[in-house]
Amino acid sequence: YINGRRSVGILLLWLFVSALSRQYTGFRFNLNNPSELNIVIEAGVTIGVFLLFVLSNWGICSLMDGEGKMGEILTFCALALLPMILVEALLIGLTNVMSLNEEVFITWIRLFGQLWTAFLLFQAVRIAHRYSSLRSIAAIGLSVLGVMIILFLALLVVSLFQQVVVFFQSIYTELVFRK
């Protein structure tokens, strides 16, 4: 399998194409406000969720007797993103020359790229862990559930941290006003 630098390169390319798509998709097809691009949020939505999926998949498949190593999972899943990246790059140009009546073609091309990526992701999990097809589907489903659990726990920790900060701020305020 390819080395980690190429995987990181693919992820950065995905972030770049995602930001370009958000900014330069034709105005008739762009549902986002281009002036509201925040690269940190875009990186969290693309690279952050991807890395959470890889981490969750590694954890779940370790419990399910998977044979894949973290580097292999990262590499194979990054390679699975290539069709979606290429299709989104193609669609940036097409949306600037097509009319709104041709939106069905944009939708079908995007769906083709997403299905191709989903198939390659399925194959990545199947090959990396040497699973059967049914077990690969279960591993992907449990990995998505794992991502949701990780995000929920992270939200819980952030909320708890905010409450602790507010608690100490109120104690400090009380101490200042008592003097």
Side-chain angles (χ1 to χ4, degrees):
Y1 63 94
I2 63 175
N3 61 15
R5 278 188 243 143
R6 289 192 185 138
S7 298
V8 170
I10 291 171
L11 291 177
L12 291 176
L13 180 65
W14 184 31
L15 175 62
F16 179 70
V17 168
S18 178
L20 281 180
S21 175
R22 189 174 170 84
Q23 290 297 107
Y24 296 112
T25 295
F27 69 93
R28 293 176 294 265
F29 302 99
N30 198 348
L31 301 176
N32 302 309
N33 186 356
S35 66
E36 294 178 359
L37 177 69
N38 185 342
I39 198 69
V40 174
I41 293 174
E42 198 70 30
V45 168
T46 55
I47 295 174
V49 172
F50 175 82
L51 292 176
L52 280 178
F53 176 81
V54 169
L55 180 68
S56 175
N57 183 267
W58 174 77
I60 293 294
C61 292
S62 293
L63 296 174
M64 295 175 59
D65 296 327
E67 297 179 18
K69 295 179 179 71
M70 180 69 86
E72 291 175 346
I73 299 167
L74 178 69
T75 299
F76 292 158
C77 291
L79 285 172
L81 292 175
L82 283 175
M84 192 168 63
I85 294 169
L86 295 174
V87 165
E88 282 300 317
L90 172 71
L91 289 178
I92 292 170
L94 286 178
T95 58
N96 285 296
V97 297
M98 295 180 91
S99 69
L100 197 56
N101 293 335
E102 298 165 324
E103 183 180 17
V104 68
F105 297 116
I106 300 290
T107 304
W108 279 104
I109 292 170
R110 182 169 284 132
L111 180 66
F112 173 74
Q114 290 170 346
L115 288 176
W116 189 9
T117 295
F119 175 73
L120 289 179
L121 185 63
F122 166 75
Q123 290 295 343
V125 171
R126 191 178 68 76
I127 291 170
H129 298 294
R130 291 160 188 84
Y131 281 164
S132 65
S133 296
L134 188 60
R135 198 161 187 179
S136 296
I137 292 171
I140 290 172
L142 289 173
S143 296
V144 170
L145 182 65
V147 168
M148 287 189 257
I149 290 171
I150 291 170
L151 289 175
F152 173 75
L153 291 175
L155 183 65
L156 200 61
V157 167
V158 167
S159 175
L160 182 64
F161 183 71
Q162 286 176 341
Q163 289 178 1
V164 167
V165 168
V166 168
F167 173 72
F168 284 117
Q169 283 177 342
S170 65
I171 288 175
Y172 175 76
T173 305
E174 286 293 328
L175 290 175
V176 167
F177 284 138
R178 285 193 174 209
K179 289 183 180 184

